[in-house]
Amino acid sequence: MNHRKIRLIQTSQNTGDRLTEQAPLYFQKDEKGVENQLLQVYDDLTYQKIVGFGGAITEASAVTAAKLGEANQKKIIDAYFDADNGIGYTLCRTHINSCDFSLGNYAYVEEEDPSLSSFDISRDKETLIPYIQQAAATAGEDFLLYASPWSPPAWMKTNGEMNNGGKLKPEYREAWAQYYVKFIQAYEAEGLPVWGLTVQNEAKAVQIWDSCIYSAEEERDFVRDYLGPALEAADLSRIRLMIWDHNKERVYDRAKTAFLDEVAAKYIWGIGFHWYSGDHFEALSAVHDRFPDKQLVFTEGCHEGGVQLGSWKSGERYAHDIIGNLNNWMSGWTDWNIVLDEQGGPNHVGNFCDAPIIADTQTDSLTYQSSYYYIGHFSKYIRPGAVRIGYSKYTDKLEITAFKNTDGTAVIVVLNRTDEELPYIVSNNDELAEAVIPAHSIQTLLFPCS
């Protein structure tokens, strides 16, 4: 009799395991009706479909990579976007105009020009677009690019600058809507199809860097009356439009304001969210339960406070958040910068952060952080088109999510953030396999659904 084989991939703090394949496990018939230490997997119970996992390519990431030798420039892209030799990213976020992870403020139309006749993306062509093109070529046909503005040009805003919040002047709403259209057309002319847009990065935050404030009503009305119609008129209704693009604690309120307006809602594909205000996983389920046809996409998260080389907590933070989001209907996930320099920049206001790969531009070397490996336990194995499946677990000490890929393979991710080794027994369709997960470890289990 052939027993179903379980592939087991592990990353563990106290060993050398980094996305390392272990000896396989094998299912056995559950002859005794085992009740304890079970991790039950219900592959006939299905939830949301996965769009993909990915990260952001910013000017900071592209400029950092450009300071390295060609070998390491390619290594970074392969490490993320190669499905076989890397962790299989297929989603990519970038910025419209500058963001804090740019070398300075810039816009595609610098001087007052409501006709946008001077629209010019030549700055992006220097390092940003070529690096995104490399990612697209490496990821192949599954590659999806979306873009977010941090601020309109200074002349369109009430405070006359790109930084420090401010709002879009009412008289420029139409021109700003056309600006997104111009961006899409310009990027597509460079061979980069645009899959989606968010209306505004962090629509509630007055930041010392590029920022712009919208109330829930202002964002709804801008989409309904300007941006949605502008995309439609330009034959760009295929663009997946996402609102909010900010922290989870207000995701339900923002969704309600936009999605209860029938006209606005018809233009909006989903809602983007970040992690900087805490877990709030239940808020995601609240959005799904009220608006089941709208998608939930994690659009940004990073470990703040500069580079923390060797931190294990950053990997565990990523995995905890990804699992909580996935189990509450998230369908797409995008990290922040794919690579930063030894300072955690460049960043034009000193808002340095960590990244899963840190490049030392002085020595032309790369450091892979724990977060890189922890993210890979999801992105490499839960592929686009996978559907979440049901599970139950015997203890809260384990954090778990479960998926079924389009090829029929079940993918179970098990996270142990405790200081103790924990046993568990995988159970699927009256078959069992015993396993153990070390302290501060993550495992991905892969097996054919019976």
Side-chain angles (χ1 to χ4, degrees), residues 198-258:
T198 74
V199 178
Q200 168 63 44
N201 176 71
E202 298 191 343
K204 183 179 161 282
V206 176
Q207 309 281 25
I208 59 169
W209 56 85
D210 323 61
S211 43
C212 184
I213 304 305
Y214 290 81
S215 69
E217 293 76 18
E218 287 165 341
E219 187 176 32
R220 173 200 65 200
D221 294 353
F222 175 64
V223 169
R224 181 190 64 207
D225 302 334
Y226 297 94
L227 183 54
L231 291 170
E232 198 168 57
D235 199 23
L236 292 171
S237 297
R238 61 178 167 78
I239 296 292
R240 276 70 166 184
L241 196 57
M242 291 171 269
I243 57 163
W244 187 225
D245 200 3
H246 203 167
N247 291 326
K248 281 181 265 186
E249 90 288 342
R250 279 180 177 75
V251 74
Y252 180 71
D253 303 321
R254 298 293 288 220
K256 208 161 60 162
T257 300

Side-chain angles (χ1 to χ4, degrees), residues 136-274:
T138 304
E141 61 182 16
D142 287 331
F143 185 79
L144 301 174
L145 175 67
Y146 72 99
S148 309
W150 268 242
S151 173
W155 55 269
M156 286 191 184
K157 292 176 68 187
T158 54
N159 65 345
E161 61 168 320
M162 293 184 76
N163 304 336
N164 300 301
K167 293 194 169 196
L168 176 65
K169 289 182 175 177
E171 61 266 34
Y172 290 128
R173 287 179 295 202
E174 190 167 345
W176 182 228
Q178 289 302 324
Y179 205 98
Y180 297 77
V181 172
K182 291 257 192 194
F183 170 86
I184 294 165
Q185 292 168 340
Y187 264 60
E188 295 196 341
E190 298 301 312
L192 288 173
V194 175
W195 168 81
L197 292 171
T198 74
V199 178
Q200 168 63 44
N201 176 71
E202 298 191 343
K204 183 179 161 282
V206 176
Q207 309 281 25
I208 59 169
W209 56 85
D210 323 61
S211 43
C212 184
I213 304 305
Y214 290 81
S215 69
E217 293 76 18
E218 287 165 341
E219 187 176 32
R220 173 200 65 200
D221 294 353
F222 175 64
V223 169
R224 181 190 64 207
D225 302 334
Y226 297 94
L227 183 54
L231 291 170
E232 198 168 57
D235 199 23
L236 292 171
S237 297
R238 61 178 167 78
I239 296 292
R240 276 70 166 184
L241 196 57
M242 291 171 269
I243 57 163
W244 187 225
D245 200 3
H246 203 167
N247 291 326
K248 281 181 265 186
E249 90 288 342
R250 279 180 177 75
V251 74
Y252 180 71
D253 303 321
R254 298 293 288 220
K256 208 161 60 162
T257 300
F259 300 156
L260 289 176
D261 184 306
E262 283 185 26
V263 181
K266 77 174 185 181
Y267 295 118
I268 304 168
W269 176 79
I271 188 161
F273 58 89
H274 302 178

Side-chain angles (χ1 to χ4, degrees), residues 351-417:
N351 180 36
F352 300 121
C353 292
D354 209 347
I357 297 179
I358 295 296
D360 189 322
T361 58
Q362 308 303 309
T363 61
D364 190 9
S365 61
L366 303 175
T367 300
Y368 294 77
Q369 302 275 63
S370 64
S371 49
Y372 172 81
Y373 300 103
Y374 271 71
I375 293 164
H377 275 269
F378 303 88
S379 61
K380 186 173 177 67
Y381 302 106
I382 302 170
R383 302 306 298 160
V387 292
R388 181 164 64 94
I389 55 177
Y391 74 87
S392 64
K393 60 190 168 92
Y394 80 96
T395 175
D396 283 343
K397 292 177 180 177
L398 294 176
E399 298 169 61
I400 291 157
T401 195
F403 282 80
K404 181 162 63 176
N405 280 320
T406 55
D407 67 359
T409 303
V411 185
I412 318 302
V413 183
V414 183
L415 172 67
N416 178 8
R417 293 190 294 159

